[in-house]
Amino acid sequence: YENMNGAGTSWSPHLLYQVSNAQGHYVSTGDVDGDGDIDLLAVTMAENTISVFYAFTSCDNTTTKPLRSCCLRGERWNGSHCVTCTRGFYGTGVGKSAECL
């Protein structure tokens, strides 16, 4: 399903991938490429394949022009880019509310 309004109150079925006679068995999610957004992994037994579907967001490829809204949990904005919380501190929030306590 695709979140249609960004608030999580309106959803619509969303076809990601279609192959005739494919037998999908397992689907999992995780941040595969380390960019902070959730990617999709699909495994088929009969075809013996693993497919990775990367989520594309405004935070992709922000190494040349960092965005405060792209800070992950465990990071904070230092005025020019996101930095990892130093040892002895822990991160709360994400994006503009990301901070180290």
Side-chain angles (χ1 to χ4, degrees):
Y1 284 88
E2 181 178 358
N3 183 350
M4 301 305 291
N5 64 1
T9 58
S10 177
W11 296 86
S12 177
H14 187 87
L15 180 64
L16 294 175
Y17 186 68
Q18 184 173 359
V19 176
S20 61
N21 299 322
Q23 297 179 358
H25 285 86
Y26 303 100
V27 176
S28 187
T29 60
D31 184 7
V32 177
D33 53 4
D35 64 357
D37 50 30
I38 302 300
D39 306 307
L40 181 69
L41 295 98
V43 178
T44 61
M45 299 292 271
E47 292 79 22
N48 196 29
T49 62
I50 298 174
S51 298
V52 179
F53 300 93
Y54 296 102
F56 295 105
T57 69
S58 61
C59 292
D60 293 336
N61 301 318
T62 58
T63 54
T64 57
K65 187 177 179 186
L67 301 172
R68 181 179 185 171
S69 59
C70 296
C71 290
L72 305 175
R73 187 173 313 280
E75 297 180 333
R76 64 174 179 80
W77 184 252
N78 74 352
S80 63
H81 61 280
C82 300
V83 294
T84 303
C85 294
T86 56
R87 188 174 185 170
F89 292 85
Y90 64 94
T92 64
V94 294
K96 292 182 179 179
S97 65
E99 62 180 333
C100 299
L101 302 175

